[in-house]
Amino acid sequence: TIFTYGDTIYVPGGQEVPDYLIAHESVHSKQQGDNPDAWWKRYIDEPHFRLQQEIEAYARQYWFLCQRVKDRNARFRILNDIGNIIASRVYGNMITSQAAREMIRKEANV
């Protein structure tokens, strides 16, 4: 698990962060603006805010990957994986994988 606070990406495991995750976390950095404490409070306390923030960040991640991956089947697998993550317990089981995929595809505009 990695996370962003302000303009710093924290990597507790110390692993190298792939470019596509930097793209994702850079969205969270921008979302946090000059008040990461307030953003994190809303992110933790408001499930729908968290979902909206993650859709935007995962859409950027998907867009970033689509710039490098041209194979349609590979893109589908990437989008499917992202949809499953957003639909999981990690984010509170708030949405179906299919709905998450549709939101990501629309937001990423690819």
Side-chain angles (χ1 to χ4, degrees), residues 2-39:
I2 66 172
F3 62 94
T4 298
Y5 184 89
D7 61 359
T8 303
I9 298 175
Y10 290 90
V11 188
Q15 68 272 26
E16 187 171 329
V17 181
D19 289 346
Y20 64 89
L21 289 181
I22 292 172
H24 176 112
E25 293 302 324
S26 70
V27 171
H28 290 319
S29 179
K30 183 178 176 184
Q31 291 167 338
Q32 291 174 22
D34 61 356
N35 195 347
D37 284 339
W39 184 89

Side-chain angles (χ1 to χ4, degrees), residues 59-77:
R60 175 66 174 146
Q61 178 178 329
Y62 181 61
W63 178 89
F64 182 92
L65 287 165
C66 285
Q67 301 310 301
R68 287 140 184 84
V69 176
K70 300 304 178 189
D71 179 82
R72 291 180 63 198
N73 292 324
R75 284 181 171 195
F76 175 79
R77 287 189 298 274

Side-chain angles (χ1 to χ4, degrees), residues 20 24 54-55 57-63 65 75-88 91 96-97 100-101 104:
Y20 64 89
H24 176 112
E54 290 300 341
I55 291 293
Y58 276 111
R60 175 66 174 146
Q61 178 178 329
Y62 181 61
W63 178 89
L65 287 165
R75 284 181 171 195
F76 175 79
R77 287 189 298 274
I78 292 166
L79 184 59
N80 192 57
D81 289 346
I82 291 172
N84 288 338
I85 292 167
I86 294 173
S88 75
Y91 294 113
T96 66
S97 182
R101 287 191 307 268
I104 292 294

